[in-house]
């Protein structure tokens, strides 16, 4: 299941720029090139579906190139497992309660301190392309071309430096095309770049590119051992609405919009939205779509499934579409890596691959994210830094660390008020004696879609303490060594007093450090 790592060095001519002064950036000699930063982030990409982490489901040879030639973080986490908040944490290096973007209904105050603004001031050329999801217009970018909200998988509009424009084709291809065009159009000698290439994929509703529809057609994926979790001892897990069995919609999520109009959703809204999705496609896309899904629909009708058989059919269908979408992400990352190589940029470009959070691939019976449980709290994180150390890093790292890391790589002083830590020492393979012992997490979006209660907590290397509040009042404690799937809430059990006390004091320490809201 978990992959052992292959290690392959890349040849680099990296010169340490951590002592670089701001002034010197613009007058660099050819030999002392500052590092470019290519920050690739997908939306909802689970670490379970990257073969560098886990080979049960899919091969992702291109994403694996970043891992093989760089560092694989095995304990990368987010601070608030949902898109907008996660992105705000990335931009500011600060937790949600300080950057002000707590849930997806917020609007980002882009005038506050962010790493792109600081890099821009230091002489970097900055760009963001693809998903943005922060509500307000990007600030601190020389170029921006972003999706509107979630964007669409097909023929999606973009906002190009303030102007709405159309696109034609599949979003992951189009977003990559725009990024390659931007890279190609730059005066390469002028400035180092920081490019945020942020894919919409593989966000719900997991619409594959037409060229990938026949992939995994006959595959049967292993059902997670806790697919039929009954959530005993975990009240918030009982309240959620993200079950593949109960909440995944046949028409909207699983694309069973039949021409005969015989299949219906429990929710009229989702059914209509599911049928509307198809209308975005152009005639050629519709033809390819129909060739594939009409057969799926026909078979589905004949099978007349119910109960567990229906739940498992939904799981298989979900996995197939999700993995098809990932295949396209992986292929497009290959295009970008090839471009860097062909243009001799690999040797002075740091490449990061991550997601805005993790995702459930049927664990606990779920899709979606939000919970502080491992699958959604953790996120993939692979970083290839020329002349950096190859291998695994098992330290606790979090998305608030990106901003200080990028600044550090650029030789820009990291502002003291950032909550995150620079990963540069870890990337150089330095022994981080004083690395953090605990991670703070806080999720606020409730009541809302998928019905996940508000909660916060602390995770150490081995344990996790969570407090669910608002409509509920419940503590959970997990021993991740003995119970990695978090099925057994041991909070309050005899024998856990000492560890509970330790976790409690680590939580209080973090709350103090981050000046977190007082809840209890
Ligand atoms: C949409 C999705 C949800 C998803 C949120 C947040 N519904 O609202 O399933 O949890 O986005 O996702 S959908 O009907 O629009 O597909 S996030 O990653 O952008 O935060
Ligand atoms: Ca997301």
């Amino acid at each position: 299941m978990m992959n052992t790592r292959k290690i392959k060095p890349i040849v680099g001519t990296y010169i340490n720029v951590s002592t670089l002064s701001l002034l010197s950036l613009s007058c660099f000699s050819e030999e002392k090139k500052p590092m470019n930063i290519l920050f690739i982030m997908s939306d909802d990409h689970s670490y379970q579906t990257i073969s560098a982490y886990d080979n049960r489901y899919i091969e992702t040879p291109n994403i694996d190139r970043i891992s093989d030639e760089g560092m694989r973080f095995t304990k990368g986490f987010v601070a608030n497992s949902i898109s907008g908040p996660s992105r705000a944490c990335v931009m500011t290096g600060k937790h949600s309660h300080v950057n002000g973007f707590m849930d997806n209904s917020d609007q980002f105050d882009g005038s506050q301190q962010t790493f792109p603004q600081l890099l821009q001031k230091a002489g970097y050329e900055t760009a963001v392309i693809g998903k943005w999801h922060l509500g307000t217009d990007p600030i601190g970018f020389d170029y921006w071309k972003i999706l509107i909200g979630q964007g669409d998988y097909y023929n999606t509009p973009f906002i190009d430096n303030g102007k709405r424009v159309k696109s034609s084709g599949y979003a992951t291809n189009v977003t990559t095309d725009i990024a390659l065009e931007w890279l190609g159009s730059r005066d390469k000698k002028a400035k180092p770049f920081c490019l945020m290439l942020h894919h919409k994929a593989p966000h719900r509703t997991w619409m594959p590119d037409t060229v990938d529809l026949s992939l995994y057609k006959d595959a049967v994926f292993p059902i997670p051992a806790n697919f039929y979790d009954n959530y005993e001892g975990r009240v918030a897990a009982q309240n959620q609405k993200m079950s593949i069995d109960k909440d995944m919609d046949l028409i909207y999520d699983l694309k069973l919009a039949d021409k005969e109009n015989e299949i219906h959703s429990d929710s009229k809204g989702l059914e209509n939205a599911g049928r509307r999705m198809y209308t975005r496609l152009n005639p050629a896309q519709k033809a390819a779509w129909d060739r594939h899904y009409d057969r799926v629909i026909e078979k589905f009708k004949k099978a007349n499934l119910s109960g567990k058989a229906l739940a498992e059919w939904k799981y298989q269908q979900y996995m197939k579409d999700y993995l098809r979408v990932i295949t396209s992400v992986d292929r497009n990352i290959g295009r970008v890596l090839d471009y860097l190589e062909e243009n001799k940029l690999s040797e002075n470009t740091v490449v990061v691959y991550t997601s805005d959070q993790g995702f459930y691939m049927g664990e606990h019976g779920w899709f979606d994210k939000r919970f502080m449980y491992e699958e959604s709290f953790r996120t993939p994180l692979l970083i290839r830094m020329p002349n950096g150390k190859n291998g695994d890093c098992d330290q606790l790292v979090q998305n608030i660390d990106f901003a200080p890391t990028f600044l550090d790589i650029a030789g820009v002083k990291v502002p003291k008020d950032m909550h995150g830590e620079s990963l540069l020492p870890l990337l150089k393979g330095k022994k981080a004696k004083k690395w953090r012992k605990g991670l703070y997490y806080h999720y606020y979006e409730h009541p809302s879609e998928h019905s996940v209660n508000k909660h916060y907590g602390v995770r150490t290397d081995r344990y996790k303490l969570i407090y669910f509040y608002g409509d509920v009042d419940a503590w959970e404690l997990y021993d991740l060594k003995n119970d990695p799937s978090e099925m057994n809430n041991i909070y309050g059990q005899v024998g856990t007093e000492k560890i509970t006390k330790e976790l409690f004091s680590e939580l209080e320490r973090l709350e103090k450090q981050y000046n977190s809201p007082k809840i209890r």
Side-chain angles (χ1 to χ4, degrees), residues 116-127:
Q117 287 178 49
L118 294 171
L119 285 182
Q120 201 180 35
K121 269 197 211 121
Y124 268 72
E125 191 172 1
T126 56

Side-chain angles (χ1 to χ4, degrees), residues 42-45 81-84 86-87 104 131 133 150 200 203 355-359 368-369:
S42 297
D43 191 3
D44 294 359
H45 192 177
S81 177
I82 183 118
S83 169
S86 181
R87 289 159 206 273
N104 272 345
K131 186 166 173 181
H133 210 195
Q150 299 284 7
K200 169 196 173 46
H203 191 274
S355 169
D356 64 340
Q357 9 69 206
F359 213 69
D368 215 62
K369 53 258 176 175

Side-chain angles (χ1 to χ4, degrees), residues 288-333:
W289 197 261
D290 290 344
R291 264 196 305 280
H292 174 74
Y293 285 106
D294 282 355
R295 281 219 308 272
V296 175
I297 290 169
E298 198 188 321
K299 273 169 100 176
F300 177 79
K301 284 186 178 175
K302 276 206 187 107
N304 200 17
L305 304 168
S306 61
K308 279 191 172 180
L310 178 58
E312 291 177 20
W313 183 88
K314 287 169 100 176
Y315 166 76
Q316 295 296 341
Q317 206 57 25
Y318 160 55
M319 290 297 285
K320 284 176 194 179
D321 278 347
Y322 186 97
L323 295 174
R324 288 165 182 147
V325 174
I326 296 302
T327 300
S328 157
V329 170
D330 185 68
R331 180 168 53 239
N332 277 288
I333 287 174

Side-chain angles (χ1 to χ4, degrees), residues 258-277:
D258 61 332
K259 309 274 182 305
E260 304 78 26
N261 206 7
E262 290 167 357
I263 303 178
H264 296 290
S265 306
D266 293 337
S267 140
K268 199 73 203 143
L270 285 186
E271 178 166 337
N272 290 341
R275 291 188 184 275
R276 253 195 328 268
M277 253 159 39

